[in-house]
């Protein structure tokens, strides 16, 4: 470690090198390095200790999650805490590839809510304007941002998380199980708890593939994808 290099700076550089396969130089004067290190070294956790987070901590994390930005302040995201272990088991049975769902201390389902704004319009005698796909997108994006905020808050408090996108493979069953009304829909699940293992950093496509300047650019895309596939296979082979 070079003189003047902080542990957080070193963690950011090491984590990004592992994730992207290329070096990132962090200016020692960059503020917020502890938070940057947390973001750069993010990893999902699928195994948890039996100890559940305290109810007061969970409530705090939910409040932090819902402090996320919201499209036009419409607040079209809701969180279902699936506390009934029978319902947790039922959801786990829908997704057999993820048995850890059933053993996770906390299971949340993040929902887009395009219902509440319709109700408010009816109560206030206002028409529901522009009833098209954009309202679905607004609610879905709000729910995704809220989930990411929960993950950040949970990791800051020492918890680990694993998003469950496969919730969307069974929207009707999940909606029925959680008694979701019309215009409220599941976007993603999330397991959370105290990690029972360290987890690992997942490789990501290089920024040369996913970051563009002024225009969308696919120059050399096939070669870059092939190089990523080789690196990914060395680090974390696909199960099938």
């Amino acid at each position: 470690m070079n003189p003047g290099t902080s542990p957080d700076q070193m963690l950011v550089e090491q984590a990004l090198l592992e994730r992207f396969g290329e070096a990132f130089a962090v200016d020692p004067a960059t503020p917020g390095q502890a938070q940057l290190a947390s973001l750069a070294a993010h990893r999902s956790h699928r195994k948890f200790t039996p100890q559940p987070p305290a109810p007061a901590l969970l409530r705090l994390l939910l409040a932090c999650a819902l402090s996320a930005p919201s499209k036009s302040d419409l607040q079209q995201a809701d969180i279902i805490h699936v506390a009934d272990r029978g319902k947790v088991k039922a959801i786990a049975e829908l997704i057999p590839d993820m048995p850890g769902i059933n053993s996770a201390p906390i299971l949340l389902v993040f929902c887009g809510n395009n219902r509440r704004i319709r109700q408010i319009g009816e109560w206030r005698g206002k028409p529901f304007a522009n009833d098209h796909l954009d309202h679905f997108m607004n609610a879905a994006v709000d729910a995704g941002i809220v989930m990411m905020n929960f993950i950040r808050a949970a990791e800051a408090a020492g918890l680990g998380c694993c998003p469950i996108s496969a919730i969307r493979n069974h929207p009707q069953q999940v909606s029925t199980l959680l008694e979701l009304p019309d215009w409220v829909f599941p976007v993603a699940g999330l397991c959370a708890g105290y990690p029972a293992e360290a987890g690992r950093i997942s490789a990501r496509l290089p920024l040369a593939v996913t970051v563009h300047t002024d225009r969308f650019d696919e120059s050399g895309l096939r070669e870059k994808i092939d190089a990523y596939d080789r690196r990914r296979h060395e680090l974390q082979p696909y199960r099938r």
Side-chain angles (χ1 to χ4, degrees):
M1 186 168 68
N2 294 329
T5 301
S6 70
D8 286 331
Q9 177 187 345
M10 186 169 66
L11 178 56
V12 173
E13 293 177 345
Q14 289 178 339
L16 294 181
L17 176 62
E18 183 176 348
R19 192 178 302 283
F20 293 99
E22 56 185 287
F24 288 79
V26 178
D27 186 332
T30 301
Q33 290 187 32
Q35 186 171 0
L36 293 174
S38 175
L39 291 166
H42 165 77
R43 58 199 71 198
S44 292
H45 294 90
R46 294 173 174 82
K47 294 182 180 179
F48 306 95
T49 69
Q51 177 190 359
L57 174 59
L58 178 59
R59 186 170 184 268
L60 172 63
L61 299 179
L62 293 170
C64 289
L66 290 162
S67 298
S70 173
K71 197 276 179 192
S72 298
D73 199 26
L74 295 178
Q75 304 177 53
Q76 296 183 95
D78 286 28
I79 307 169
I80 309 292
H81 174 205
V82 189
D84 183 323
R85 297 311 298 184
K87 292 189 175 185
V88 172
K89 184 174 183 291
I91 291 175
E93 288 174 349
L94 292 172
I95 311 171
D97 282 351
M98 302 193 71
I101 294 173
N102 199 34
S103 58
I106 298 294
L107 176 61
L108 306 175
V109 176
F110 292 79
C111 300
N113 186 334
N114 189 228
R115 175 183 179 84
R116 192 158 42 235
I117 192 66
R118 296 171 186 268
Q119 293 172 304
I120 293 171
E122 291 177 3
W123 300 335
R124 302 291 188 265
K126 302 292 185 181
F128 186 74
N130 304 319
D131 190 2
H132 48 61
L133 185 62
D134 191 48
H135 283 291
F136 165 80
M137 292 294 295
N138 291 339
V141 170
D142 264 19
I145 295 173
V146 166
M147 183 177 72
M148 197 65 239
N149 242 34
F150 183 92
I151 292 172
R152 294 270 74 85
E155 290 181 345
L159 276 66
C161 300
C162 182
I164 312 295
S165 63
I167 284 285
R168 296 193 299 276
N169 294 348
H170 309 278
Q172 188 56 62
Q173 295 96 317
V174 172
S175 295
T176 299
L177 189 67
L178 301 181
E179 302 178 39
L180 303 185
D182 289 344
W183 309 108
V184 178
F185 54 93
V187 172
L190 187 79
C191 293
Y194 291 102
E197 58 184 11
R200 58 187 173 190
I201 291 177
S202 296
R204 289 288 186 264
L205 290 164
L207 268 61
V209 170
T210 54
V211 177
H212 311 266
T213 301
D214 292 332
R215 66 178 185 87
F216 195 87
D217 184 4
E218 291 183 327
S219 302
L221 178 62
R222 184 169 183 172
E223 293 76 13
K224 293 169 185 174
I225 295 291
D226 287 345
Y228 167 79
D229 283 344
R230 290 191 295 270
R231 187 172 71 87
R232 168 66 188 252
H233 182 73
E234 291 176 1
L235 295 172
Q236 187 179 349
Y238 290 106
R239 290 179 296 172
R240 63 177 185 268

